[in-house]
Amino acid sequence: MIRFILLRLLRWLPGVLLLLLIVYALMFYGGGDPIQIMFSREATDLFQPGNPRYEALKDKMGLNRPFLVQFGDYVWKAAQGDLGLSLADGRPVMESISAAFPITLSIALAATAIIALVGIPLGVIAALNQNHWPDNLILGGALFFWGIPTFVIAPLLMVLLCLQFPILPVPHGWTGVFTVNAIIPLTVAAIRPMAIVIRQARSAVLDVLSEDYIRTARAKGLPEWVTITKHALRPVLTPVVTQMGVVMTNLLAGSLLLEIVFGIPGIGRLIRDGILNNDYSLLLGCVLVVLTMVTLTNLLVDISYPLLDPRLKQAQRGDV
Amino acid sequence: MAPASTIKKLTDDGVTADEKAIGIWRDSFDRLLKNKMAVLSIAVVVILFFFAIFGPYLTPYDFLKQDLSIRGQPPSADHWLGTDNLGRDVLSRVIYGARTATLVSLLVVVLSSLIGVVVGSISGYFGGKVDFFLMWFTDLNMAFPNLVLGVVLAVSLRPPLSRWMEQMYLSTLNPVFRQSSLLDLALVIVVIVLVAWCPYARLLRSQVMAVRNYNYVLAARALGLPTFTIVTKYIIPNAIGPVIVQMSAGMGSAMLTESALSFLGIGIQPPIPSWGNMINEGLRQWTSAPHLLMAPALVLGLMTVAFSFLGDGLNDALNPRQWKG
Amino acid sequence: MGEILLDVKDLKTRFRSRGSLVHAVNGVSFHVNRGETLGVVGESGCGKSVTMLSLLRLLPPAAQVESGRALFEGQDLLKMNFGQIQKVRGGKIGLIFQDPMTSFNPVLTIGDQVGESLIYHRRASKEVALKRTVELLRLVGIPDPEQRIKDYPHQFSGGMRQRAMIAMALACEPGLIIADEPTTALDVTIQAQIVELVKDLRDRLGVAIIWITHDLSLVAGLADRIMVMYAGTIVEEATVEELFDDPRHPYTLGLLSALPAFQAEKNVRRLASIPGSPPIYANRPLLAHFSCAVLSPWNVASQNYPHYSRSPLEKMPAIARPVL
């Protein structure tokens, strides 16, 4: 099992490093001079190229070293939990991130739970009523909500539920998952990805229902609910869990827009701050966090496969 | 019953190959027309294109004209969708936003499908290490959330792009290169293309893989036809259906990404209207003047929903589920 | 030979395909006696499987039984309500499918699936069902059944899976087993083993069997009677001896002439094949069948294709003989 996890990690690690390298290079060459950004608010030419203080600082920060050395240094320090200092306010990036990350994670987890508990049953119901009105209704609804961008539905819901029919308080900030404040943000977070999960669950159920072994189960004269729950739903889990993994990664990142609309101080807000202040080290830290979460989620999905499908148990023992 | 006609009837049921080829497209078209939501979506998209092309000549006001005496007015007979906080006509701005959205998404779809088709064909046709590397990269790109990647690209590509435009201006003295709206457009398109080509590549690769070992392709290879001919003549036509479906979905998501980037303030910059930056501006005063938020949000929602229904309708029409017997 | 167990009259099943109707089964009538083995022979797509699935109402959604009657132990299978047909499926009629690979649920253990029907038909507890499963697996010759019930289908070989499938069909001691090409997906040596196993079980348990196959030689040693199907109709029905000695329908002749052993007997050198492909069924419900004439086995080697022999064959009715 441990060997399996390590092998999977090995498969993902080069990719993560490559992506990080690309992002680092983009910021390194495209981002602009970090020192000028740091002191952009001070209208002096003390920190312009050529000035001895500028050069001294540049040397001190190690910005004169070759690109790859700097990158290696960044990765080495990041592995030890040091993401450098923010260019905007000089605080350690890690500090900001460790304050923001739990919020984003809790939104993502809560939304994932909602999606699984509501989306999968809806998909199954749609499949069992294929081409009848419940199916059309569910599919049409899913397609509709999939089409609406987060930053459209979020304000619309706010206008509707807080302004037109004031039944909910205006959500702002973050007070935890189980508060009234969280209702609108969590709904918004869940509703788009849920559409994909519904469609995926529906087509997975339809695929399984056309399998020979469902015919076998029916030929045995099992009650229909046994055929569905025992024979059809287990095999459906594999594709649906894969989809949930994708959903989870998108939630982690998709909170970007959500958090800005609702003023939630999570990773998305940090990214926005990074954009506004040209704070590349903060942006880079956020990207690294998102990358790590994507990798971990994919790893979790990979690990869950053998538990869901006994045919994959051999693969788990290591011969991938 | 003459023997020959009997044979013919049994083998291909009296339909020649040509008729069948036309029949497939006509069948698809008929199926599409039967889908009410798809037809409705086509209508919406046609209206969008109409306003994108002719909109600026139809608008009652100039989308940039400020009139501080009529700031933040609610919808009225003069200004159907009201005015914003600088006294600009919201309807005119929304209509101009259609032009921005359409221009960006059309170019993105064309460019990204071209890149995707080329990469996917290469990957699928050559296989081996080329395929492994290309698909590894595509998967990586797809696993990483699009919007975050887009943000990173938009933030870090803007300075070099503006430097380049400045240089172009200095060397050609063509004022086009001084237009910041052009810079925004180019940047947004490049960024979205860079994140949007992957699904096409995946799609084409799987199509190529499926077709590659068909006998008629093997025969073409045995005849010594050049690879390029084989790919363009035998493989790509097979993949057109799924690519069209993906293009329709891609239109919607390109529009969405453009708005999202503009919403975040790193795409199309004000005063040039994009639905995204209009929503951003509207959000600042959504309790006092909700129409500023609602107008662009509803239009953008309508468009992306239309593309999503259109893509779905096209999918049903072009790739019907195989009949199982 | 014994009383009639299953009596099918004028069964018609059609498929709906892109707006047109396909008549897959076109007025089929036959019967099976208690304890008797009936072989059903025909090429792919001739309606053999659809006929049997129609009886148990396991057709895909696109297919529909149009008319007919199927009396099983005096009750019409086609008129039963859902609960009644559920009791017949697995309880009174067992089914064995062609592909043992895809016919087992890959995520459930063999033990979970083989004795499952006992729980619902006999209200057996899980332990009883499992115990019976072990007995059944032993009966069909699976070694070490106590351990194997914990295995998943992919851990069984193809032949073993088919044995397990037979055990599954036998679980509730049904009076009739319908085997839909049970050996087609298997190696030739395994095929022979399965046929022997079924023969043995039939003799021991006295169960009636409908054995569907496209391999005439395979059922020759197994069946009491053989029914030849073509294009959704029964073209000939006879005991094995009659069929081999005196085939009445040209299609049967074609099938027979494709058997190497048969040709050796008649001194034909080249292996014969039946020219043409089965007709397209859409919108042509009746009697257009087999218009691409069958060649008699004695001139097949010398004639050029296409060749048409004898009288208007498509008008030739199914040839049934009185059952002896």
Side-chain angles (χ1 to χ4, degrees), chain A residues 34 78 96 99 131 140-141 154 299 312:
Chain A
S96 320
N131 296 334
L299 198 66
L312 297 169

Side-chain angles (χ1 to χ4, degrees), chain C residues 134-163:
Chain C
V134 172
E135 285 169 25
L136 283 166
L137 291 182
R138 189 170 289 129
L139 184 73
V140 297
I142 289 178
D144 198 15
E146 288 86 355
Q147 288 306 310
R148 299 307 301 260
I149 54 168
K150 291 176 197 139
D151 282 353
Y152 287 96
H154 71 275
Q155 289 161 304
F156 273 49
S157 69
M160 283 294 157
R161 266 197 294 262
Q162 198 55 289
R163 282 170 191 266

Side-chain angles (χ1 to χ4, degrees), chain B:
Chain B
M1 194 190 292
S5 72
T6 316
I7 298 287
K8 181 147 178 67
K9 218 165 186 181
L10 286 175
T11 48
D12 59 23
D13 215 16
V15 179
T16 63
D18 281 353
E19 283 172 37
K20 252 181 191 155
I22 297 168
I24 287 170
W25 287 103
R26 187 164 297 157
D27 272 8
S28 304
F29 194 63
D30 289 348
R31 271 198 296 274
L32 187 64
L33 289 187
K34 268 186 207 144
N35 186 336
K36 284 189 205 98
M37 291 312 285
V39 173
L40 206 63
S41 306
I42 293 176
V44 171
V45 171
V46 168
I47 294 172
L48 169 79
F49 284 171
F50 177 79
F51 276 109
I53 298 169
F54 303 108
Y57 309 107
L58 302 174
T59 52
Y61 303 92
D62 181 356
F63 67 92
L64 285 174
K65 196 182 137 239
Q66 303 180 5
D67 183 353
L68 296 181
S69 64
I70 50 165
R71 286 159 54 180
Q73 281 189 349
S76 64
D78 284 343
H79 300 274
W80 290 1
L81 293 178
T83 56
D84 67 5
N85 55 346
L86 293 174
R88 294 173 298 195
D89 182 47
V90 174
L91 179 63
S92 307
R93 290 182 67 74
V94 168
I95 289 176
Y96 196 87
R99 176 170 262 205
T100 312
T102 311
L103 186 64
V104 170
S105 45
L106 269 181
L107 279 171
V108 163
V109 163
V110 170
L111 293 175
S112 56
S113 61
L114 273 179
I115 296 178
V117 164
V118 170
V119 171
S121 318
I122 291 174
S123 188
Y125 194 80
F126 291 102
K129 277 183 189 150
V130 179
D131 177 45
F132 179 82
F133 180 75
L134 284 175
M135 283 306 118
W136 178 69
F137 189 75
T138 320
D139 281 350
L140 214 61
N141 196 335
M142 281 168 84
F144 198 69
N146 267 351
L147 192 57
V148 177
L149 201 59
V151 166
V152 168
L153 285 170
V155 167
S156 50
L157 289 182
R158 182 179 284 277
L161 200 64
S162 63
R163 257 177 266 147
W164 178 77
M165 296 243 319
E166 187 62 28
Q167 269 174 11
M168 287 303 283
Y169 172 72
L170 291 178
S171 58
T172 61
L173 286 179
N174 188 337
V176 166
F177 292 105
R178 269 273 161 94
Q179 277 183 16
S180 68
S181 59
L182 187 74
L183 169 74
D184 290 345
L185 271 181
L187 179 77
V188 166
I189 290 168
V190 167
V191 165
I192 304 178
V193 166
L194 282 177
V195 294
W197 60 271
C198 294
Y200 298 97
R202 270 250 153 249
L203 205 65
L204 226 81
R205 175 186 178 264
S206 62
Q207 291 283 329
V208 175
M209 289 302 231
V211 177
R212 195 163 69 129
N213 292 323
Y214 282 1
N215 282 337
Y216 65 85
V217 174
L218 291 179
R221 275 159 108 176
L223 285 174
L225 290 184
T227 304
F228 182 76
T229 314
I230 295 176
V231 170
T232 50
K233 196 169 168 193
Y234 292 95
I235 292 179
I236 290 182
N238 267 295
I240 283 180
V243 167
I244 288 177
V245 174
Q246 176 64 37
M247 281 172 105
S248 165
M251 247 339 249
S253 76
M255 206 169 269
L256 211 148
T257 317
E258 180 269 310
S259 310
L261 290 176
S262 305
F263 173 77
L264 289 171
I266 46 180
I268 308 294
Q269 308 285 331
I272 301 297
S274 145
W275 295 332
N277 65 34
M278 290 176 74
I279 293 174
N280 188 19
E281 283 169 23
L283 202 55
R284 287 180 207 151
Q285 42 197 324
W286 66 274
T287 44
S288 57
H291 66 277
L292 292 184
L293 175 65
M294 300 290 276
L298 283 177
V299 174
L300 173 61
L302 179 69
M303 288 333 296
T304 45
V305 168
F307 277 112
S308 124
F309 274 99
L310 180 59
D312 192 62
L314 282 171
N315 190 32
D316 288 349
L318 291 169
N319 314 323
R321 215 165 229 282
Q322 287 286 311
W323 177 72
K324 274 188 179 175

Side-chain angles (χ1 to χ4, degrees), chain A residues 130 208-227 229-236 238 306-314 317, chain C residues 53 56 58 82 85-91 93-95 97-99 101-108 112-114 116-117 119-121 126 152 154-155 165 168 180:
Chain A
Q130 192 190 2
V208 169
L209 284 182
S210 68
E211 290 280 353
D212 285 352
Y213 55 79
I214 296 301
R215 195 178 58 179
T216 311
R218 291 193 170 136
K220 275 191 273 191
L222 305 183
E224 192 63 13
W225 64 269
V226 177
T227 307
T229 52
K230 184 173 170 185
H231 286 269
L233 289 191
R234 272 288 306 278
V236 163
T238 315
L307 304 175
L308 297 173
D309 191 338
R311 280 169 296 182
L312 297 169
K313 279 233 171 77
Q314 274 106 337
R317 289 190 199 114
Chain C
L53 292 178
L56 285 179
L58 286 170
F82 191 69
I85 193 84
Q86 288 281 80
K87 289 214 174 66
V88 173
R89 292 176 186 168
I93 301 180
L95 261 125
F97 291 108
Q98 172 174 358
D99 192 345
M101 182 73 215
T102 58
S103 296
F104 273 107
N105 194 326
V107 301
L108 300 175
D112 227 0
Q113 300 183 60
V114 169
E116 199 184 7
S117 49
I119 299 175
Y120 302 100
H121 290 304
K126 271 201 166 157
Y152 287 96
H154 71 275
Q155 289 161 304
M165 176 91 80
M168 192 155 78
D180 187 358

